[in-house]
Amino acid sequence: MDINNMATLTIPNYTYYGQVIPINKLTLIAALAGTGKSYTTIKFFNTLNIVPIYCNLDYTPIGDLVAQQYDETLLHHAFITKDLTGMSGRVLVIDTYTRYASYIAQYTPLKGKELETYVSNLLEDFAEHNNCTVVIIGHPNDYVGK
């Protein structure tokens, strides 16, 4: 495997935004707090002329780089009904994993690994059902063992 060739690092039969983020799939982006994950992710899509929908659960200031900003109200509707009108072909960025998982935990008795699996499945199912790309931002410790 040639790690300098991006094509060797991608999954065959997937299509990608900028050879980095799989289209119509779930992508998890993790880095330490304050390293610019949200801004870099949004700017990446902007360079591709994509203005994502942004669910700001961590109160990160993004400004005019996104199409719409939503809070928990969008997630409540979207993940309870498994549908959100107009998502086909769009990019949804959820910031951050910890707040999202805490939010979903209010609606299920699951805990620990079962909750983590449930959260991941919800996100993957949402991307597939709505034919959209879902990117979730988090910190490395959010994904330990996942």
Side-chain angles (χ1 to χ4, degrees), residues 28 97 101 112-113 116-117 119-120 139-146:
L28 306 172
Y97 176 86
K113 282 282 196 202
E116 293 166 5
T117 299
V119 167
S120 295
H139 303 115
N141 57 323
D142 295 342
Y143 306 118
V144 172
K146 294 178 185 57

Side-chain angles (χ1 to χ4, degrees), residues 5-144:
N5 179 354
M6 184 59 78
T8 64
L9 301 176
T10 59
I11 301 169
N13 303 321
Y14 279 24
T15 53
Y16 291 84
Y17 288 115
Q19 296 183 333
V20 177
I21 296 179
I23 296 172
N24 296 336
K25 302 290 181 194
L26 170 64
T27 299
L28 306 172
I29 296 178
L32 297 175
T35 56
K37 298 173 299 296
S38 303
Y39 180 79
T40 302
T41 300
I42 300 301
K43 285 301 287 182
F44 167 78
F45 285 111
N46 289 170
T47 62
L48 299 173
N49 295 318
I50 297 167
V51 183
I53 295 171
Y54 182 61
C55 288
N56 190 355
L57 305 181
D58 212 19
Y59 314 106
T60 303
I62 295 296
D64 297 331
L65 303 176
V66 297
Q68 296 103 1
Q69 289 196 51
Y70 293 100
D71 57 16
E72 294 89 358
T73 306
L74 171 87
L75 294 180
H76 177 73
H77 170 78
F79 292 100
I80 299 303
T81 65
K82 295 189 178 183
D83 190 33
L84 188 63
T85 303
M87 285 303 297
S88 183
R90 299 296 304 270
V91 174
L92 172 64
V93 177
I94 300 172
D95 191 353
T96 66
Y97 176 86
T98 301
R99 292 204 198 277
Y100 174 72
S102 297
Y103 177 78
I104 294 300
Q106 298 174 41
Y107 299 96
T108 177
L110 302 173
K111 303 277 187 239
K113 282 282 196 202
E114 289 179 334
L115 177 62
E116 293 166 5
T117 299
Y118 180 73
V119 167
S120 295
N121 289 340
L122 269 179
L123 293 165
E124 288 174 342
D125 290 348
F126 185 82
E128 183 177 326
H129 177 78
N130 290 282
N131 196 38
C132 66
T133 301
V134 177
V135 177
I136 190 158
I137 308 290
H139 303 115
N141 57 323
D142 295 342
Y143 306 118
V144 172

